[in-house]
Amino acid sequence: MAFKNILIFQTAFLGDVVLTTPLFRGVKRLFPSSRLTLLTTPEARPLVEEDPFLDAILTFDKKKREGFSAVLGKIRGGGFDLLLSPHRSHRTSLIAMLSGIPVRVGYGQAGFSFAYNRKVERKMELHEADRILGLLRGLGKEPLPEDRTLFCGYTCREGCEVTELLEAAGVKEGEKLAGIAPGSVWATKRWLPGGFAEVGRELLKAGLRPVLIGGPDDAPLAEKIAFEIGPEAVNAAGKTRLKALPAWMDRFEVFITNDSAPLHVAGARSTPTVAIFGATVRELGFGPLGKNSRVVETSLSCRPCGLHGGRECPEKHFRCMADISPRAVMDAVRELLGER
């Protein structure tokens, strides 16, 4: 069956939305003449606006408690003949069931999975990008290796935004930069500020100027770390829009981050990345995608303590992060940069 008007429903966290971009590619490979629409959150929209495989984007503002009737009106007015849902919430399933879309593909493990008339298994041993691509099997199709490509784009406006901020900070043309993203929504996924600060000082010795990035909520933490590094550190957290995040990645020789959305944006831009994992583990399926990355973590029987981490360490020792040394992180940086 050749579907003509396809909707992908993904309103999860920012990183999950980036990890859904391979599905856009796979769908367009299979149905090149189709119209492909993404339904996502207003927060995630900037990260996918430039995706060449999307024809349209609809938004569902869950935080403002946008009602069922409003989002159903958007969907029913679209004339869609196929829905693919990587999002597993009960609410998403109910919206799918009431949408009137004739073919609905979702996971058998989704809440209210009876809403989907074609179901696939969500295999936990796979990377999340591969689990999402597995939805194609609900159509009797197989993902291809070339589908397994993340995308996150930007425009000249965001590139100029980054350039202007760096120039204002006194960064000279050609100066080599290293990105640091110390934040996360979850406290147990954040490495210690003192660790990031020591790594920042070591980066300076290695000829790399540290640039701290993140959202407005990360700005106080980034400011503290930048102060500890010294006056050469650039604190850009909260100073550019989310859509500028991939533009930042293109400026970095190497990027150091917790397990958070910037990790996957870096993967989409092929930026050499060191990922620090504490409460979570890459085996959950959210590790860096590709070879141009390293994971730094500790071996503890209490890991992982949850799918997303938590507000505090359940064991009260936080060793998953406290035991990670700046030296281990710098060793990973040097390995990526070919200095070992």
Side-chain angles (χ1 to χ4, degrees):
M1 183 174 180
F3 297 99
K4 296 296 184 183
N5 200 0
I6 302 169
L7 178 68
I8 294 176
F9 197 132
Q10 177 57 295
T11 57
F13 293 107
L14 298 178
D16 299 290
V17 176
V18 176
L19 291 174
T20 306
T21 58
L23 182 62
F24 308 161
R25 179 184 293 266
V27 167
K28 277 294 194 175
R29 173 180 59 81
L30 293 170
F31 308 106
S33 62
S34 68
R35 177 175 174 82
L36 179 58
T37 301
L38 173 68
L39 178 67
T40 192
T41 63
E43 295 84 4
R45 180 176 184 138
L47 294 178
V48 291
E49 282 180 329
E50 304 306 317
D51 195 294
F53 298 104
L54 287 178
D55 297 295
I57 300 174
L58 299 175
T59 58
F60 176 26
D61 196 339
K62 300 185 296 182
K63 290 183 178 180
K64 291 186 177 178
R65 301 186 181 277
E66 187 174 358
F68 269 35
S69 59
V71 70
L72 280 172
K74 293 178 184 180
I75 295 173
R76 287 173 174 168
F80 300 107
D81 53 10
L82 169 64
L83 180 144
L84 298 158
S85 176
H87 200 231
R88 295 172 290 123
S89 76
H90 291 80
R91 175 170 53 185
T92 295
S93 296
L94 284 175
I95 292 171
M97 184 173 64
L98 297 172
S99 68
I101 299 175
V103 180
R104 304 179 300 279
V105 182
Y107 296 118
Q109 295 88 343
F112 296 157
S113 63
F114 56 80
Y116 302 103
N117 49 26
R118 298 192 188 183
K119 291 187 276 287
V120 300
E121 181 183 358
R122 186 171 182 266
K123 297 182 179 180
M124 289 304 296
E125 67 272 17
L126 299 179
H127 192 282
E128 179 67 2
D130 297 312
R131 293 194 287 244
I132 293 173
L133 275 170
L135 290 170
L136 296 178
R137 297 189 178 97
L139 304 172
K141 308 293 184 180
E142 286 294 319
L144 296 182
E146 54 264 35
D147 296 333
R148 200 175 187 260
T149 304
L150 303 177
F151 183 86
C152 195
Y154 60 94
T155 69
C156 292
R157 179 182 176 184
E158 290 76 44
C160 291
E161 193 175 348
V162 168
T163 297
E164 289 169 5
L165 192 152
L166 289 173
E167 288 177 349
V171 176
K172 298 180 178 62
E173 186 176 352
E175 193 170 354
K176 294 184 177 181
L177 307 176
I180 297 176
S184 170
V185 173
W186 307 100
T188 55
K189 292 169 73 172
R190 298 184 206 129
W191 192 38
L192 305 183
F196 279 118
E198 187 169 339
V199 165
R201 292 190 291 269
E202 290 299 315
L203 289 168
L204 283 169
K205 293 177 185 177
L208 295 165
R209 189 164 182 177
V211 178
L212 290 109
I213 63 170
D217 291 343
D218 302 317
L221 173 62
E223 183 61 37
K224 176 183 178 181
I225 294 169
F227 179 80
E228 291 187 27
I229 293 171
E232 291 186 81
V234 177
N235 179 17
K239 296 179 181 178
T240 56
R241 295 170 302 134
L242 178 63
K243 193 169 178 176
L245 188 53
W248 278 114
M249 297 305 163
D250 283 359
R251 298 298 185 97
F252 298 147
E253 301 293 318
V254 67
F255 178 56
I256 303 162
T257 181
N258 299 314
D259 174 18
S260 59
L263 168 62
H264 307 303
V265 176
R269 305 306 303 182
S270 299
T271 304
T273 300
V274 175
I276 303 170
F277 275 63
T280 54
V281 295
R282 56 184 137 177
E283 286 78 13
L284 290 172
F286 298 93
L289 199 65
K291 297 180 180 179
N292 205 23
S293 59
R294 298 291 183 275
V295 171
V296 181
E297 58 188 340
T298 57
S299 297
L300 293 170
S301 60
C302 54
R303 295 180 66 233
C305 59
L307 179 61
H308 299 296
R311 300 301 177 192
E312 59 182 20
C313 171
E315 301 295 326
K316 309 301 181 186
H317 55 61
F318 202 36
R319 285 183 53 202
C320 63
M321 284 303 198
D323 287 357
I324 293 177
S325 69
R327 179 176 179 177
V329 174
M330 279 304 300
D331 283 347
V333 168
R334 292 188 181 97
E335 186 176 327
L336 275 177
L337 297 178
E339 295 179 9
R340 294 182 61 178

